[in-house]
Amino acid sequence: MQEIQNRLHNIKKNKYLLSVSILLVLLVLLNMIAFNQTFCNRYTETVYGILADFLGRIMNFFPVAIGELLMYIGAFWVFCTVILSILLIFLRKKKDFLQFAKFFYKTVFITFLCALFFYTIHWSIPFRSSLLGENGHFEKQYSIEELRNVWLYVVENLNKTCEQAPRDKNGLLLFDGKEKTEKEVADAMKKLAGRYKRLSGYYPTIKPALCSDVLKWMQIGGYTYPYTMEVTYNQYISDLYFPTLYAHESAHHQGYYQENEANFLSYLGCAGSDNRILRYSAYHEIY
């Protein structure tokens, strides 16, 4: 009986070591290859798109952000690890407690490796890709006069879209509902797919963040969770900011994780929309 138990223990131990080894090798290889931006671009335009669409559709069945809940569970797990480490100082001679501690640490370690793996394929590699080309930036230098012309263009269109925006008899802006706005934004972003083909993917609904008070304090409008690929928004943002924020977070979801690129795409998408509020939101935000 003891021999059978020892064999089972060795099998479990070997499986654990094998799993850890495979995850470590994958993490090292993926992060080494990810230094090549050509690989990152091709990965993001192929494999990442499939993952984003699949997870986006699955997570749309849940009314709350599962990624945010996982974040809280992770924080609680870290707290438990600290408490266990302190108890281990005093209870390390107790055999049962020591076995439990070993099991707990092994579970934490392999969970941490899995989290790193999904973080790599869902966020780290796409973040290193770019829509601006292999170098990830333009070499062109712009003059003060050129920047002034862009500024004047934005101001002119901001004033124009402000006048065109629908209002009630008291002069207050008339906004579409959240669901209709999301559809309008998704349609506007998909129009850009001819130039930026990643934008042709699935657009999940944006969910209100449970930690909106914290986001408000940090002056963050929204967040994209890398493990579940959900997009969330700060419940305290203005209705006028909502369209460009959704466009921005959706650009992240489609694989454009650089902040300046997401801002650029959200502006292009909303400014090119037939919806007057979306156009006003775009020029207001870019200004």
Side-chain angles (χ1 to χ4, degrees), residues 104-123:
F104 182 85
Y105 285 131
K106 286 169 68 176
T107 304
V108 167
F109 183 62
I110 198 164
T111 302
F112 175 71
L113 289 180
C114 288
L116 278 181
F117 173 74
F118 286 112
Y119 187 80
T120 299
I121 63 174
H122 289 177
W123 189 88

Side-chain angles (χ1 to χ4, degrees), residues 265-277:
L265 290 173
S266 68
Y267 159 72
L268 282 185
C270 291
S273 171
D274 296 328
N275 185 291
R276 291 176 291 174
I277 287 290

Side-chain angles (χ1 to χ4, degrees), residues 154-165 279-280 283:
V154 171
V155 171
E156 180 184 352
N157 282 279
L158 175 59
N159 290 329
K160 186 185 299 183
T161 54
C162 178
E163 292 174 356
Q164 295 171 346
R279 294 200 302 272
Y280 183 26
Y283 285 104

